[in-house]
Structure formats: structure tokens, C-alpha cells
Amino acid sequence: MAKIQGIDSHIVIIGCGIAGIGAAQKLTKDGFKNIKIIEATGRSGGRIKTTTFGNVIVEIGANWIHGPSKANPVFQLACEHGLLDAQAMSKENQALDVGGHPSFQSSFYSSSGKKLTPDLTEPVSQLFLTLLEKSREFFQTEKEPYPSVGEFLKKEIAKHVVEWKDDAETKKLKLALLTMMLKLECGVSGTHSMDLVGLGAFGGYKTLPGLDCTFPGGYEGLIDAMMKGLPEGIVSYNNPVKCVHWNGSFRGANSPEQTFPVMVECENGETIPANHVIVTVPLGYLKEHYETLIKPPLPLSKVHSIQRMGFGTNNKIFLEFEEPFWEPDCEVINLIWEDETPLADVKPDVNQFWMKKIFGFTVLHPPERYGHVLCGWIAGHESEYMETLSDTEVKNYMTEVIRKFSGNPSITPKRILQSKWHSDPYTKGSYSYVAVGCSGSDIENIVQPLPLQKTDTKPLQVMFAGEATHSSFYSTTHGALLSGWREADRLITHYTQSQNSQNFSSKL
């Protein structure tokens, strides 16, 4: 339990995603009494968002537990609350180490309507994964032959192409397949292009063992379970924050005799005094609003790190069919545009050819639960452009693409649902990545509480959490949860040390 001195501190948490909920849970369990979560929207969960699609549930946001094993706190909580199936919780599943790239049963279709054979796809896929792993080796080596992961991969691919002994048509297909894998990696990294992802910092992202798994009843089941552990009425919903005023001396309406160093000003005019504020908003929102969200302004070191860090969009397109056109054991359908090569420096017309950025579709399994549903994945500017189109327009484009690749002119999806994370005003994208010119020290800069220096002013006034603030698990739900716990522990440690030093002084 936290020492008596700190439990009456007023703590405001901005954002009711898994980072904010995690921080509130830990602080509550340690005895802190005055905790309030302020949430801009009408729901908890943030980028964990489960919804209905026809008669089934699908994930608009976070999809998997990445690395479901003992070291993953999201997995541990999901097991404690009985939210996973037996296979996901098995020791065998936890022991598998796939390095962040699970081996799915995949089908590869070309834009001429042909299904590519494993003797072509498997060696090329293995080459790409080998080069991708090689690109992680520059982390903390002081050697960075190229600024970006994309440049490194393309240079390495060019070296291998010279050694290929295939005919021209096969070479063309191999290059098109490598282009598809670059698109897939854009989705994994949440970026428009791998040319934007910093090479030296790329290896800083750590994977955990375990075969990625999903929640049979929906990811939001975890949020619901966590919320039940918090005091009733702790969250103020539909209450966007206008500004966090810090380094001041503010009085609260309910305690005029007491002064607080921080005041949270909401858009509805409400003001909430606090000793500590934990900001858990997405990096995309912080990038757009840091100049007005926090006053006095953020120190330049923190501003520059916020600007340097990458934050992109990765959207989903759910399609439901009367009957599957894929094989029963198929888990992923990959789309290979035969006219594409990673070695050509071409800037496509995003508006006209946005659909070519879709690397493929994952098949929602098992069909007994989901019926015949595919989930398409699209990242970057093309993904953002898609958000401006109507469901009907997207459905028509998807119908055209699927007919082209399958060679079946009669396939028509009966239902469609698309995510729109870039246009969400409180996220402005999907998740973070370490961009060119960025390093782990930028994440550390963003994390540093305000005030930065130990002065006579009150410490730990404004603190920062969220997936973008975890140095090795950024972009993940477990990174977000751990960051919330980290900031809660920071406060608990602060008050424990303060109490210990007081006890020591009193004995002198």
C-alpha cells in the first residue's frame, strides 16, 4: 500500500484506453483515493474497439495479443479473466517463438487471376524475412548504412536479383511478391512506407514468444473486465480536455483552502485541480495538439521528440460473402500486382490506385463463429484516402479487385465495414513507429515527467503513458498497459520514498 502521505493526492488520468485503465487500477489497489479518468469519447478502450458485423463480432482496433506468453501482461490478464480459448492458453502455444511473423497458411493470387505455387512463393518469402531480420541488427551498433529500413531492404533485394537465374516472367513475379511483402510490413509498422522507418532504431522493438491469438468474445471483453475493478463513477465520459495547466497554484471549488500545481481545463468549461496528471492520449493526437494541450508549453526537447516519432494509419476492410472462394485451410490471401517492383522509385497516384496498397486479406477463423468473412489490411496515405470514400464505393472497388485476382467474375461481397482511424479526431491514426532520424532516446524524452528538472516546484505534475511511450513494445496493447503501470509505479515510488525519508528524519 502507498504511504499515508500520498493517498489523498488528486490524480487525473487523461484517456480511458488500456494505459489509463491500467494506471488507475494499480493506483487504486495501492490505496490512492482521489483518481479521476477523463475520456473524450463515450466509451472505454481507446484503440481496443470491438463491434458487430452482421451477426458476428469483429475488431475495429487491436486484433491480436502479440506474443501471448508469461511476459505479456495482456495475455496474463486475459487468462485470469477466462477470455481465451484452451489452444491460446496452452503451454505449446506460449512456447512458440515466431519472431513477430507467424507462419500462416497463405494463398498467393496474381493480378492476372493466377494462383502462385509454393515453389515460387516460399523462397521469396523466406528471403524477405531473412533481410528483415538482418535490418534489426543495426540497433545500438553505431552503424547505419542507410537511413531507413526501406532503403536497406531494397538495396539488399537488388543484390539478390543479380544472382537470380530465372526467366524474365518469373523474375517479374518474384519482384512483385517482394513489393507485396513491403506493403505487409508497412501495415505491421503502421507506416506509409518503410522508407520512413529508421534503420538504426528498428531493432529496438522486441517480440515475445507465443503464437499471436485473438479474443473469441472480443478484445473489449478485457476492457470490461478491467473496468469492473475500478470504483464506480471514476470515468467522466464525453469530456474532451482543452488544456492541462501546470506549474501553477490552483484552488479547487471543493477545497478552496488547498492549492494544486496542475489544473485540467475541459472543453465544457469544467476545471479539475490535481497534484498529478497522467496523459495517455495517442501520439497522433499529441502531434496535432501539443501546442495548445499543455501550458506552459512543452520543453523543446520533448516537442522535437514528439515531432520526430512516427505515427501512421493501418485500416481494416471487413467483407462478408455468401460462400468462400478460398480453400478451407487458408488463413491469408495475398494479392500480387504483377506490374509492381520494389526497385522502381515510383510515386503512385494515391487517389486512383489506393486499392493497390492492400497487401491482402486475413480469413476470420473459425467459420463456425464468423461465417465467411475476410479482413483486408491497408496502411499509409492510401488508407487515409480510403476513409474519404463511402462504404458503397469501397465495396465496389473491393469487388473489382477480388474478381480480378480470383479470376471469378461473379464474386460479390454482401456486406462491408471499414475502420477509419485517421479521421478519428482523438487518435489521428493507428499506432507509432520509430521514424528516420529517431531513436530510443526520443521515446525516453516523451516519457520524462514535467517538470524535467528537480526544482522547488512540485514533482511529477504531468506524466506521459500510452503505447508510443514504451521503448521496446511501442504499437502494442501490452506496451500501452505496461506504460500505464510504469507511471502508476512512478507515483507509488515517489510517495513511498518521501514517506521513508520523513520517517528517517524523524528518527534523527
Side-chain angles (χ1 to χ4, degrees), residues 21-32 484-486 488-489 492:
I21 298 168
Q25 267 198 326
K26 193 172 261 285
L27 289 167
T28 301
K29 285 178 183 174
D30 222 72
F32 287 86
W485 287 355
R486 177 195 67 219
D489 281 333
I492 293 164

Side-chain angles (χ1 to χ4, degrees), residues 76-296:
Q76 291 301 318
L77 281 176
C79 290
E80 286 173 25
H81 292 293
L83 300 173
L84 303 176
D85 58 30
Q87 183 181 351
M89 293 189 290
S90 69
K91 288 184 179 179
E92 293 78 13
N93 200 78
Q94 295 178 54
L96 286 169
D97 196 343
V98 295
H101 285 80
S103 180
F104 291 113
Q105 187 69 36
S106 301
S107 295
F108 296 80
Y109 290 90
S110 74
S111 50
S112 61
K114 298 172 187 169
K115 191 173 179 183
L116 305 186
T117 56
D119 61 322
L120 185 144
T121 61
E122 287 178 4
V124 177
S125 300
Q126 191 53 55
L127 168 64
F128 184 85
L129 291 175
T130 300
L131 296 180
L132 193 66
E133 199 54 40
K134 192 175 176 183
S135 69
R136 298 184 185 279
E137 295 172 4
F138 300 101
F139 180 60
Q140 293 181 330
T141 63
E142 302 294 319
K143 297 174 185 174
E144 193 180 47
Y146 305 99
S148 73
V149 175
E151 288 173 81
F152 173 77
L153 290 173
K154 286 182 265 192
K155 295 290 184 184
E156 291 295 309
I157 287 168
K159 292 177 189 175
H160 284 268
V161 170
V162 174
E163 300 171 4
W164 289 351
K165 304 290 191 258
D166 310 288
D167 58 68
E169 190 62 28
T170 304
K171 277 186 183 178
K172 186 179 173 185
L173 274 176
K174 283 184 171 183
L175 286 168
L177 178 55
L178 287 166
T179 306
M180 182 279 296
M181 298 204 75
L182 275 170
K183 294 176 197 174
L184 187 159
E185 201 55 37
C186 284
V188 172
S189 290
T191 182
H192 171 63
S193 166
M194 294 307 290
D195 292 348
L196 301 176
V197 180
L199 180 60
F202 190 54
Y205 177 85
K206 304 299 181 190
T207 60
L208 295 172
L211 189 61
D212 292 0
C213 65
T214 58
F215 288 79
Y219 224 126
E220 275 192 25
L222 177 63
I223 298 298
D224 294 340
M226 292 177 73
M227 289 299 294
K228 286 175 183 172
L230 293 177
E232 196 172 335
I234 192 173
V235 186
S236 174
Y237 291 105
N238 298 304
N239 195 7
V241 169
K242 182 179 180 181
C243 185
V244 177
H245 303 273
W246 64 286
N247 220 19
S249 182
F250 305 99
R251 294 187 186 276
N254 299 328
S255 50
E257 74 288 346
Q258 187 178 0
T259 60
F260 298 87
V262 193
M263 176 73 81
V264 178
E265 179 188 359
C266 300
E267 287 184 5
N268 64 7
E270 180 186 8
T271 55
I272 307 159
N275 299 101
H276 312 281
V277 172
I278 304 176
V279 178
T280 74
V281 300
L283 179 63
Y285 185 85
L286 200 55
K287 278 176 172 286
E288 196 162 290
H289 296 282
Y290 69 84
E291 290 179 301
T292 57
L293 183 64
I294 299 173
K295 290 181 181 177

Side-chain angles (χ1 to χ4, degrees), residues 178-406:
L178 287 166
T179 306
M180 182 279 296
M181 298 204 75
L182 275 170
K183 294 176 197 174
L184 187 159
E185 201 55 37
C186 284
V188 172
S189 290
T191 182
H192 171 63
S193 166
M194 294 307 290
D195 292 348
L196 301 176
V197 180
L199 180 60
F202 190 54
Y205 177 85
K206 304 299 181 190
T207 60
L208 295 172
L211 189 61
D212 292 0
C213 65
T214 58
F215 288 79
Y219 224 126
E220 275 192 25
L222 177 63
I223 298 298
D224 294 340
M226 292 177 73
M227 289 299 294
K228 286 175 183 172
L230 293 177
E232 196 172 335
I234 192 173
V235 186
S236 174
Y237 291 105
N238 298 304
N239 195 7
V241 169
K242 182 179 180 181
C243 185
V244 177
H245 303 273
W246 64 286
N247 220 19
S249 182
F250 305 99
R251 294 187 186 276
N254 299 328
S255 50
E257 74 288 346
Q258 187 178 0
T259 60
F260 298 87
V262 193
M263 176 73 81
V264 178
E265 179 188 359
C266 300
E267 287 184 5
N268 64 7
E270 180 186 8
T271 55
I272 307 159
N275 299 101
H276 312 281
V277 172
I278 304 176
V279 178
T280 74
V281 300
L283 179 63
Y285 185 85
L286 200 55
K287 278 176 172 286
E288 196 162 290
H289 296 282
Y290 69 84
E291 290 179 301
T292 57
L293 183 64
I294 299 173
K295 290 181 181 177
L298 292 171
L300 271 180
S301 60
K302 195 179 282 283
V303 168
H304 291 158
S305 292
I306 289 169
Q307 291 171 334
R308 277 194 292 265
M309 275 288 287
F311 192 81
T313 304
N314 188 29
N315 272 320
K316 301 178 182 179
I317 312 162
F318 293 98
L319 300 167
E320 184 182 10
F321 298 85
E322 290 287 355
E323 296 294 334
F325 61 87
W326 53 91
E327 299 296 324
D329 62 345
C330 178
E331 295 175 299
V332 181
I333 297 168
N334 297 286
L335 307 181
I336 318 298
W337 293 88
E338 294 177 31
D339 60 344
E340 292 184 333
T341 170
L343 305 182
D345 190 16
V346 178
K347 288 190 176 179
D349 182 329
V350 169
N351 295 13
Q352 188 176 355
F353 298 112
W354 66 269
M355 75 295 298
K356 294 181 77 172
K357 190 66 171 289
I358 299 170
F359 84 81
F361 301 89
T362 48
V363 182
L364 271 58
H365 278 291
E368 296 79 25
R369 183 190 304 156
Y370 294 106
H372 311 304
V373 177
L374 299 180
C375 176
W377 300 82
I378 179 169
H381 302 327
E382 293 86 351
S383 178
E384 293 162 14
Y385 173 74
M386 181 190 74
E387 295 185 22
T388 68
L389 303 176
S390 68
D391 281 358
T392 302
E393 288 174 300
V394 174
K395 182 182 174 185
N396 290 341
Y397 278 116
M398 290 300 95
T399 301
E400 189 180 322
V401 167
I402 288 169
R403 287 177 177 180
K404 181 181 183 70
F405 280 81
S406 67

